[in-house]
Amino acid sequence: MKWLLIALMPVLIQAQSIEYSISTEHFEKHLLKVEIKVTNWHEPKIGFALPAWSPGRYVIYDFAKYVQQFSATDSAGEPMKVLRADKQTWQLETRGETNFSVSYLIYANTINGTFSKLDEKGGSFNFPGLLMYVVGHKDLPVKISVRTRPDWQVVSALSPEPGFSYTADNYDELIDAPMEIGKFKIARFSLREIPHRMILHDSFPQEKLNRFIADTKKLILKEADVFGGEIPYEHYTFFFHLNDSLKHTDGMEHRNSTRILLHITPQTMQTDATGDDDYDNLMWLTAHEFFHLWNVKRLRPAGLGPFDYSREAQTHELWIAEGFTSYYAYVSLVRSGLYSKEMLLKETGKQFSRHENNAARTLRSLDEVSWLTWFFLATPPTFEENNLWQTYYSYYRKGEIVAMLLDFEIRSRTANRKSLDDVMKLMYERFYKQPAEGYYMPGRGYRQDDFFRAAEEICGTSLQPVFEELVLRPLPVDYNKYLNKGGLVLTAEENDEPSLGVKFVKDSNPAKISAVLKDGAGEKGGLRKNDELIAIDGKKVTAGKMDDLMKTFQNGQTVVANILRDGQRMNLGIQLKPSPLKAYKLKELDSAGVLQKEIFQSWIKGN
């Protein structure tokens, strides 16, 4: 029996470990140096891959194109042979080596929610586009350390260890934690004894910052109310870039942080969301990105965590993940007292206008535009002609509209005892607040039918015709059928000014057509996208002066448009008529009954 006992004894093998190190030493060239040290590896091959996309931005960017000077060395410092397995994967044959490291430089000179920037001012890092993962082993714990200038600060959304070092349970957690390096202000506050930080790169007067922090606290609590009041993190970091020199306005959600970049000037901004556009933009984007903390980062569609970073992660549920988040950003602003009800109706009415004035609204279902978003969000090459603007609409915008209509429908059918808040709470409990099915995080991903069932469960009746009309088929929607139940009415204002029925590239001279509107005068008269409009009835045209020029004509009048198309001058006869675009407005229903008024009040108060 002695040999049997020996065979049953466990073989002790040291755990594999993966340690990242980043260095800003080449900041003047916008090159971040990355080193990955692997120890106790016992497989014949190992692959290192850089994601093709970044969660939250549904576009294939192929970040690997920014990598240079990839190399590998063994424990003795000797070079190892590297094979390029595919466009984003580097592979080593370990040949018995158990400890080795790889290094590379990666270019970073774009600052927005998806990309990263490194220069003489410091670094702003979104790690999906910078850090490679070990293929097949994203579940392993990882550590990252930072080497940088002694006069620069380092802040990560991860919990810190001594020195500039941080740990994560897995690769997904690592890259879901942005990092800022450089000189900046850190504003701290506590809510429910949970620490929060605001990283501010730009001047923000203290009195205004105090108001902003107070308003953010109100938002956090109102958004948490949707999910039973739970705040599911141990600490939270807001990374803000706020200045009028930014080329991009953007925001990106993360597990316990967000990056927000806005083309605004805090010094001149008034801290009034109903009276100052800059502050309104700041509060709305903060509300939107923070709500993602629950909706998409935890309550998530299947396929959006854990991720396949090598290819598109297609999902039908982006209208819930993004559209509902926009909806709750708006209602949370009014529920927290930062918006008046008039402001809420004004801003929501704009969303109806933008969606209804998109000709694609009856071409594709909301379900379909969610599924096909990878086609439409990518920027086509400048030389490629396309008609995407005619065949695609925003699932953010229609998703927001659907959330509102569904909320009123549920409130009406349940005599205002239940709402969309209850559906979101049920989904959160059912799909996030459950044991983890893998290494990633608690719970599992949901599918569209899961949401449909949860809504019907809360409502107590079938909602299939509602989902057919609003989500599954590209049908015209009778908005007031739903809005009236919440004591609201949507009206459309016709435009009676003469119009060519086209849109122009901003400030172009000659005026270059960026879109020809469906059923407009230009479509009937033969105008096309990219035509350059030189003159109308002999009067010179520039994009910025078009409205003034149109006022000199009458509806029904035929004008001669002199255009440049593909290098050829030509004249077209255009019979002017009002623009097909309409302005939609939401207002309270004068004839609202008792239940309708109760629903409206509960809706804006959040009860």
Side-chain angles (χ1 to χ4, degrees), residues 367-565:
D367 166 86
E368 186 180 12
V369 294
S370 290
W371 183 255
L372 296 179
T373 187
W374 297 87
F375 281 156
F376 299 116
L377 291 189
T379 302
T382 55
F383 56 81
E384 176 188 309
E385 266 305 312
N386 65 79
N387 68 339
L388 298 183
W389 59 275
Q390 293 177 314
T391 64
Y392 179 74
Y393 59 82
S394 170
Y395 51 78
Y396 284 77
R397 192 165 295 129
K398 188 176 180 184
E400 176 190 335
I401 291 170
V402 167
M404 183 180 186
L405 304 183
L406 183 58
D407 200 352
F408 285 170
E409 184 69 19
I410 293 170
R411 290 175 185 271
S412 179
R413 292 198 190 191
T414 62
N416 203 33
R417 291 188 296 271
K418 299 289 184 180
S419 70
L420 185 61
D421 294 13
D422 295 289
V423 180
M424 299 302 288
K425 198 178 307 178
L426 176 60
M427 289 287 290
Y428 188 73
E429 291 289 333
R430 184 169 288 172
F431 290 94
Y432 173 66
K433 299 286 287 182
Q434 300 296 326
E437 290 191 346
Y439 74 89
Y440 180 64
M441 67 188 318
R444 68 186 193 279
Y446 68 86
R447 300 199 180 275
Q448 189 166 257
D449 286 346
D450 294 319
F451 176 82
F452 292 165
R453 282 190 290 270
E456 290 180 332
E457 187 175 331
I458 291 298
C459 194
T461 59
S462 172
L463 290 167
Q464 188 61 30
V466 174
F467 293 130
E468 287 286 338
E469 180 182 15
L470 300 182
V471 178
L472 299 175
R473 300 175 63 190
L475 300 172
V477 177
D478 181 358
Y479 296 118
N480 283 324
K481 177 176 67 176
Y482 300 96
L483 293 171
N484 288 172
K485 295 172 181 178
L488 295 177
V489 63
L490 184 71
T491 60
E493 295 183 358
E494 303 282 350
N495 188 334
D496 59 3
E497 297 289 334
S499 169
L500 284 175
V502 298
K503 294 181 179 181
F504 296 99
V505 175
K506 186 179 179 180
D507 298 329
S508 54
N509 183 18
K512 187 174 182 178
I513 295 175
S514 61
V516 180
L517 302 178
K518 187 176 184 298
D519 299 326
E523 182 183 60
K524 186 174 181 180
L527 291 175
R528 298 178 188 172
K529 180 183 176 183
N530 293 328
D531 283 349
E532 292 184 87
L533 193 54
I534 308 300
I536 298 177
D537 275 2
K539 299 176 182 177
K540 186 179 178 182
V541 172
T542 61
K545 299 291 182 67
M546 182 57 65
D547 288 343
D548 291 338
L549 180 58
M550 284 294 101
K551 291 176 182 178
T552 66
F553 301 114
Q554 301 293 322
N555 284 320
Q557 182 177 350
T558 298
V559 297
V560 176
N562 181 247
I563 67 169
L564 184 66
R565 177 184 295 167

Side-chain angles (χ1 to χ4, degrees), residues 2 20 178 399:
K2 186 175 180 181
Y20 293 80

Side-chain angles (χ1 to χ4, degrees), residues 129-250:
L130 298 174
L131 301 182
M132 296 184 185
Y133 58 90
V134 176
V135 177
H137 295 275
K138 295 195 298 289
D139 59 317
L140 292 178
V142 295
K143 180 179 180 179
I144 185 169
S145 57
V146 182
R147 299 197 306 273
T148 191
R149 287 170 38 169
D151 59 332
W152 281 357
Q153 299 165 276
V154 178
V155 173
S156 167
L158 294 171
S159 298
E161 293 194 341
F164 293 146
S165 296
Y166 308 86
T167 58
D169 289 340
N170 50 67
Y171 173 83
D172 301 84
E173 182 182 3
L174 171 68
I175 65 167
D176 205 6
M179 181 180 287
E180 297 281 338
I181 299 176
K183 297 180 180 180
F184 37 74
K185 179 176 181 178
I186 304 177
R188 304 176 191 272
F189 65 92
S190 180
L191 183 63
R192 292 187 184 170
E193 300 183 350
I194 301 172
H196 296 71
R197 298 177 296 184
M198 290 183 173
I199 311 304
L200 300 158
H201 287 265
D202 312 286
S203 177
F204 204 132
Q206 190 62 48
E207 183 178 351
K208 295 179 181 182
L209 178 58
N210 292 341
R211 172 65 182 274
F212 178 46
I213 290 173
D215 288 346
T216 300
K217 287 182 176 182
K218 295 175 186 177
L219 265 179
I220 291 172
L221 294 175
K222 285 302 178 182
E223 293 192 340
D225 283 347
V226 177
F227 299 94
E230 179 176 86
I231 298 179
Y233 51 79
E234 296 180 356
H235 55 83
Y236 194 90
T237 305
F238 298 89
F239 296 94
F240 287 112
H241 292 261
L242 310 172
N243 64 74
D244 57 10
S245 65
L246 285 171
K247 295 180 181 179
H248 308 279
T249 288
D250 201 1

Side-chain angles (χ1 to χ4, degrees), residues 9-24:
M9 291 176 63
V11 177
L12 297 179
I13 300 176
Q14 288 183 299
Q16 296 167 329
S17 71
I18 301 172
E19 296 185 13
Y20 293 80
S21 175
I22 60 173
S23 171
T24 63

Side-chain angles (χ1 to χ4, degrees), residues 113-130:
T114 305
F115 287 85
S116 301
K117 187 177 180 71
L118 176 63
D119 60 15
E120 69 281 355
K121 296 179 181 178
S124 181
F125 300 143
N126 183 46
F127 283 129
L130 298 174

